[in-house]
Amino acid sequence: MARPFKPLQQRPNGIFFVQVHIDGKRHQKSLETKDPRLATKRAGQAIAELQEAAKQSTETKWPADAIVTEWDIPTNPDGSNDYANAVPKQITWGEIADPEQIKILDWRDLVTEAVAVRKRKTGEDFSDGWYDNQKFAIQRCPFSLSEASPVTIRAWMQSMQAEGLSPRSIEINCATLRSLINVSIKSGLLHDLAVNPFTRVDFSTSEVNHIYTAVEPDYKGLKAMLPTIANNQRLAILLQAYTGTRISEIKRRGAKDFDLVALTFTIKHEIKEGKRIKNKHSSRVIPLPEWLCDELKDFDFHWPSNTIINRKLQTINKELSSHSFRHGLIRINRDLGGSEDVLEAFVGHALEGMKATYGDGYSVSRFREAIKPVWNQLDTWIDRN
């Protein structure tokens, strides 16, 4: 029995959808319209379809009960098989299969396999971004691994398009699952799968995911906006503007990662504490402005979501996002004639060639020396006082 909870909702892109909770699980269906009146008319039918689909999905499909054909082949007088008089017999798969053959693999089994292969080859885990992509694609995928086919994949693509997802988002979701299958085919986990079903569907796009670079008017726009927003939003934006850190690096870290006496921010890979990083180059200790550390002393380190931050920033410029400040910091440094290598290491980028192999980056004091001219420029534009 469904338990509706705000059944009619609207996505950030304006598309309405219905959401119901059935047996503790959330089910959603796009209404494929931005018109509230049309959405209201369609909501009843959509909820009924979700309830019916959920009812069918709760009926367990037992692979061992699947009907297969076994051939009873007589023997000729000379001892050879008499295929011409073979008699088909219907039996269940469980009567002839080994237990391991009966087990159905899940998408998460493929994630586990990919991680194992990665660690065996490189000795390292995947980045936070990789795990996020797997989670989002699997949560959105409406079919199981065994149900993956060109037909179900195409239907999924159409569903995502109807929900308002961009061609690039659709491509990322499909490519994520395609990659998982490819790894497991090569590792032998999916030894009986001859063809990856995702390779038979064209989900590619020419759309380029361009990230806008923050420029002088954007920073000046912060002056009027910052006093009007919540303090955690304000501090998150200032931290990104002055350090170029990724929002994920900030959100996964708390008070103990900020040394407010030494004026530093430590970004390390601590998987047990949920503090992942994108790659080994992202691990670093960077300096912070003294005034920012003073403001962080009374902060509870409950960071806002990236969605909320971006909505606030887009009141200044619709192309502006939290990641724009990362690009903006690098651009300001270039315009001021600063050391590109030091700033690349400061934001957690890999250095070129042997620079990435020897010396282990730069010291906090060298970072501070290099970033000060950039901070001075930002102080002039943002004018915090």
Side-chain angles (χ1 to χ4, degrees):
M1 186 66 183
R3 176 176 60 84
F5 177 73
K6 293 184 180 179
L8 183 58
Q9 299 188 34
Q10 191 175 24
R11 300 189 189 281
N13 61 14
I15 298 291
F16 281 91
F17 68 100
V18 293
Q19 174 178 288
V20 294
H21 288 76
I22 303 174
D23 294 331
K25 294 183 179 179
R26 184 177 60 184
H27 300 261
Q28 296 179 350
K29 184 176 180 65
S30 172
L31 296 175
E32 302 179 15
T33 181
K34 297 181 180 180
D35 185 337
R37 288 178 295 181
L38 183 57
T40 302
K41 292 179 181 179
R42 294 178 176 177
Q45 177 185 337
I47 291 175
E49 291 177 358
L50 285 174
Q51 292 172 337
E52 181 61 27
K55 179 181 177 181
Q56 294 177 2
S57 66
T58 57
E59 297 176 358
T60 303
K61 298 177 180 179
W62 300 100
D65 293 342
I67 301 299
V68 296
T69 301
E70 182 182 50
W71 291 86
D72 185 3
I73 305 174
T75 303
N76 290 315
D78 61 0
S80 61
N81 291 329
D82 183 6
Y83 293 108
N85 294 307
V87 178
K89 181 173 63 174
Q90 300 296 313
I91 61 172
T92 63
W93 176 236
E95 293 179 61
I96 59 174
D98 294 329
E100 281 300 311
Q101 291 178 300
I102 296 174
K103 179 180 179 246
I104 289 184
L105 290 172
D106 181 76
W107 290 115
R108 287 172 178 78
D109 294 320
L110 269 58
V111 172
T112 301
E113 181 72 3
V115 172
V117 170
R118 165 88 171 185
K119 289 182 177 179
R120 186 181 73 246
K121 288 184 174 182
T122 68
E124 297 180 354
D125 200 350
F126 285 105
S127 67
D128 290 342
W130 185 88
Y131 279 99
D132 287 341
N133 285 342
Q134 313 311 306
K135 180 181 72 174
F136 296 146
I138 291 172
Q139 286 179 343
R140 188 171 287 278
C141 183
F143 49 81
S144 65
L145 173 60
S146 61
E147 294 170 333
S149 70
V151 174
T152 57
I153 295 169
R154 181 174 182 273
W156 182 33
M157 291 171 59
Q158 292 174 329
S159 173
M160 288 190 285
Q161 184 177 8
E163 290 179 26
L165 268 69
S166 69
R168 177 60 177 160
S169 295
I170 295 172
E171 179 184 39
I172 290 174
N173 285 329
C174 291
T176 296
L177 299 187
R178 178 187 63 185
S179 178
L180 284 179
I181 293 176
N182 279 340
V183 171
S184 289
I185 289 176
K186 292 179 181 179
S187 73
L189 180 65
L190 297 178
H191 57 84
D192 55 347
L193 186 63
V195 179
N196 186 333
F198 280 90
T199 62
R200 299 174 60 192
V201 181
D202 183 10
F203 49 79
S204 61
T205 176
S206 59
E207 177 183 302
V208 178
N209 189 18
H210 172 71
I211 297 176
Y212 174 80
T213 299
V215 291
E216 181 177 347
D218 301 315
Y219 290 104
K220 288 183 173 179
L222 292 177
K223 178 181 178 181
M225 187 200 72
L226 289 175
T228 68
I229 61 178
N231 189 49
N232 66 338
Q233 299 167 18
R234 176 177 169 277
L235 288 174
I237 291 172
L238 285 171
L239 193 56
Q240 285 195 279
Y242 278 79
T243 66
T245 44
R246 303 175 179 92
I247 187 61
S248 61
E249 293 174 336
I250 296 174
K251 284 178 60 63
R252 292 190 175 103
R253 280 154 189 91
K256 77 173 190 176
D257 301 298
F258 292 82
D259 189 329
L260 304 182
V261 176
L263 311 180
T264 59
F265 177 25
T266 299
I267 303 168
K268 298 291 185 182
H269 187 65
E270 299 174 285
I271 191 169
K272 291 183 178 179
E273 297 184 28
K275 298 177 181 179
R276 298 180 183 276
I277 56 176
K278 184 174 183 180
N279 52 53
K280 64 180 181 180
H281 309 290
S282 302
S283 180
R284 60 202 189 278
V285 180
I286 58 175
L288 295 175
E290 185 175 0
W291 61 264
L292 185 53
C293 288
D294 289 339
E295 294 201 32
L296 288 170
K297 287 178 180 177
D298 298 321
F299 183 52
D300 60 7
F301 292 91
H302 291 163
W303 301 108
S305 70
N306 193 36
T307 300
I308 291 176
I309 291 176
N310 286 339
R311 285 177 183 172
K312 299 296 183 181
L313 293 175
Q314 285 161 10
T315 63
I316 298 174
N317 179 344
K318 65 179 182 179
E319 294 186 277
L320 193 62
S321 70
S322 65
H323 207 79
S324 298
F325 296 122
R326 184 172 173 82
H327 290 221
L329 198 78
I330 296 172
R331 171 67 180 273
I332 295 170
N333 179 67
R334 288 175 182 167
D335 290 346
L336 294 175
S339 168
E340 293 196 14
D341 278 352
V342 178
L343 252 292
E344 291 294 337
F346 182 89
V347 299
H349 284 167
L351 298 177
E352 294 183 358
M354 297 305 291
K355 295 176 185 177
T357 304
Y358 294 99
D360 192 25
Y362 293 90
S363 66
V364 174
S365 60
R366 180 66 183 99
F367 277 151
R368 189 176 296 278
E369 178 186 357
I371 198 64
K372 268 194 172 182
V374 178
W375 286 351
N376 291 338
Q377 180 66 82
L378 291 174
D379 287 341
T380 301
W381 287 342
I382 298 176
D383 188 16
R384 294 174 292 100
N385 300 321

